[in-house]
Amino acid sequence: MLKQLIYLDNSATTKPSPGVVKAMIECLTNIYGNPSSVHRLGVEAEKAVNTAREQVARILKAGTKEIIFTSGGTEANNLAIKGAAYSYANRGKHIITTQIEHPAVLKVCGQLELEGFEVTYLPVNNEGVLLPEDLHRALREDTILISTMYVNNETGSIQPLEELSSIIKTVRNNNKLPIWHVDAVQALGKLPLNPEKLGVNLMSLSAHKAHGPKGIGALYLSAGTRLKIQIDGGGQEFGLRGGTENVPAIAGFGVAVAELEDSLNKNNEQMAEMKKMLVEGILDSIPRCRLNGPMPGSKYSAPHIANISFIGLRGEVLLHALEGEGIFVSTGSACSSRKKSDNGVLRAMGLSDVEQEGAIRFSFCAHNTPEQVGVVIDKLKEIVKELRSFG
């Protein structure tokens, strides 16, 4: 008899919804024209792209001309940070980010340092949350760009965007600097997004974290914000990103966000309840465990990610033991989980090597159930007890 499959690695990627798959098949089958072509098939493809742009813009409360489709969150982060840094370099070369950003931000910043930019990497507290006063102290006259994430992909810590917004709006000069970029890849479909209200200039999104397809993302670009083009070509995406549009993926992205829009609050409540159940179930019944991140119920706790260290065990061993029971989790970001280096996010939060080594990330979507959480807790009790008995 096949074991039940329990997928708790939704921060790595999510299962595309049936509506997304249907929209993509329709494009692959019938709407296969090039959106730049002037004939009927091209016009139909352009219409599909425009519909998706409207759907993505609506969830951000933005205008359609403020949405630039990219190949994913990584390209959106690259375009945002490099594009803004190069465009405003004549006004200063100081950039601020945090120590817990995704590699798609940290590595871009590292590259810019090699090109003469100066980057300040702000610390976080022991819950993985940036302190607004640290941002205030780091700001300088020559600060042109700030890049912060919304929800940390490994711990689910929510960054205090409203407090950061108040500081940034206060210090912005007549040139409307510094530019503010927010990596909201892990917030899409989980938390409300309103970049204009916050004063965010650039916001990165990825479809496959929210039941859309892989290979497609978007960058919100507020009106009046300048970017230096990173991919030259045929002038697509308002001249900011060359290359024929990936129409099936764009259409799927649009359907994904449209489906999430109406169920955001309900989904959040369901995921938050399951996260609370999981965290309390593990901490109450399995000794020598610690939650890495804010407690469920905290305003800094995202509803869908829980990172827990099982002290004395290797996360990879526990991961595979769970996989043997049909339960799929991760030891951290999917973009770095195969690398041997230590965990930069958990290290920035002050975790010891032993605590980092035993960390497991559980990430939910609205399709998970409390019954699945109960199974995971019971299996963890058995597996952790057995593995520790070997030590």
Side-chain angles (χ1 to χ4, degrees):
M1 181 176 177
L2 291 176
K3 293 175 181 174
Q4 180 184 10
L5 189 155
I6 301 177
Y7 185 72
L8 294 182
D9 197 17
N10 290 282
S11 289
T13 195
T14 54
K15 182 179 180 180
S17 76
V20 167
V21 174
K22 181 180 178 182
M24 295 182 71
I25 291 175
E26 173 64 12
C27 288
L28 289 166
T29 306
N30 297 314
I31 309 176
Y32 50 82
N34 187 322
S36 297
S37 297
V38 296
H39 51 63
R40 179 175 59 82
L41 289 178
V43 172
E44 289 176 352
E46 182 184 29
K47 184 178 178 182
V49 171
N50 289 340
T51 298
R53 201 184 306 278
E54 291 170 2
Q55 291 165 320
V56 175
R58 189 163 60 240
I59 204 166
L60 296 177
K61 300 175 178 58
T64 53
K65 292 184 178 179
E66 294 177 311
I67 305 301
I68 312 299
F69 286 118
T70 66
S71 64
T74 292
E75 186 191 329
N77 284 339
N78 272 259
L79 176 59
I81 297 170
K82 291 180 182 175
Y86 295 148
S87 187
Y88 293 95
N90 62 334
R91 305 287 177 82
K93 288 199 167 184
H94 182 231
I95 298 169
I96 298 173
T97 188
T98 79
Q99 296 176 2
I100 61 166
E101 300 299 314
H102 189 277
V105 169
L106 293 176
K107 291 194 174 182
V108 172
C109 288
Q111 182 179 336
L112 290 172
E113 285 184 288
L114 296 175
E115 298 175 21
F117 289 86
E118 184 180 352
V119 182
T120 298
Y121 298 90
L122 297 176
V124 293
N125 65 15
N126 60 7
E127 291 190 331
V129 179
L130 171 64
L131 301 180
E133 53 267 34
D134 285 338
L135 172 65
H136 193 267
R137 277 193 292 268
L139 285 163
R140 306 186 333 202
E141 287 289 329
D142 62 342
T143 303
I144 57 168
L145 175 64
I146 299 165
S147 181
T148 61
M149 58 182 13
Y150 194 171
V151 174
N152 184 263
N153 54 308
E154 301 204 30
T155 66
S157 60
I158 297 175
Q159 303 309 306
L161 295 194
E162 289 192 8
E163 290 92 331
L164 302 182
S165 171
S166 297
I167 293 170
I168 293 169
K169 286 179 178 177
T170 301
V171 302
R172 268 186 179 146
N173 55 31
N174 293 333
N175 296 320
K176 299 182 179 179
L177 295 176
I179 299 297
W180 186 16
H181 165 246
V182 171
D183 178 352
V185 164
Q186 292 291 347
L188 178 62
K190 282 81 177 182
L191 298 173
L193 301 173
N194 192 336
E196 182 182 11
K197 182 179 179 182
L198 290 168
V200 171
N201 304 93
L202 302 155
M203 180 172 279
S204 301
L205 305 174
S206 178
H208 76 101
K209 308 293 188 181
H211 302 290
K214 298 173 183 62
I216 188 69
L219 178 66
Y220 162 82
L221 170 67
S222 67
T225 302
R226 303 198 311 266
L227 285 184
K228 182 176 174 56
I229 300 170
Q230 299 303 301
I231 301 178
D232 287 306
Q236 289 88 350
E237 295 304 296
F238 310 113
L240 285 169
R241 200 264 184 184
T244 302
E245 296 91 339
N246 184 348
V247 179
I250 289 173
F253 189 5
V255 171
V257 296
E259 290 177 343
L260 289 168
E261 189 176 10
D262 295 332
S263 55
L264 180 66
N265 291 334
K266 179 184 175 186
N267 290 348
N268 284 357
E269 290 174 6
Q270 288 179 348
M271 289 186 286
E273 287 177 5
M274 288 187 286
K275 173 177 172 176
K276 183 173 185 288
M277 179 182 173
L278 178 77
V279 171
E280 291 180 350
I282 292 174
L283 297 184
D284 289 347
S285 61
I286 302 177
R288 298 169 63 202
C289 292
R290 60 159 287 166
L291 174 68
N292 305 318
M295 285 297 292
S298 162
K299 68 176 183 178
Y300 300 114
S301 175
H304 59 302
I305 302 174
N307 189 306
I308 296 176
S309 289
F310 297 82
I311 311 300
L313 297 180
R314 289 180 55 203
E316 187 176 336
V317 173
L318 184 51
L319 179 152
H320 288 302
L322 287 168
E323 182 181 1
E325 299 294 338
I327 299 167
F328 295 82
V329 298
S330 73
T331 54
S333 166
C335 298
S336 57
S337 60
R338 292 177 183 273
K339 299 174 182 175
K340 297 297 183 183
S341 58
D342 65 349
N343 186 304
V345 173
L346 300 183
R347 176 162 38 84
M349 293 166 60
L351 270 69
S352 68
D353 291 345
V354 172
E355 290 168 332
Q356 290 181 45
E357 191 176 60
I360 289 288
R361 181 184 69 180
F362 306 87
S363 50
F364 297 92
C365 75
H367 302 309
N368 292 123
T369 66
E371 289 73 22
Q372 290 180 337
V373 176
V375 171
V376 172
I377 294 170
D378 288 342
K379 291 297 179 184
L380 276 168
K381 291 179 191 175
E382 297 173 9
I383 293 169
V384 171
K385 184 177 181 181
E386 181 180 5
L387 291 176
R388 282 178 173 162
S389 69
F390 298 144

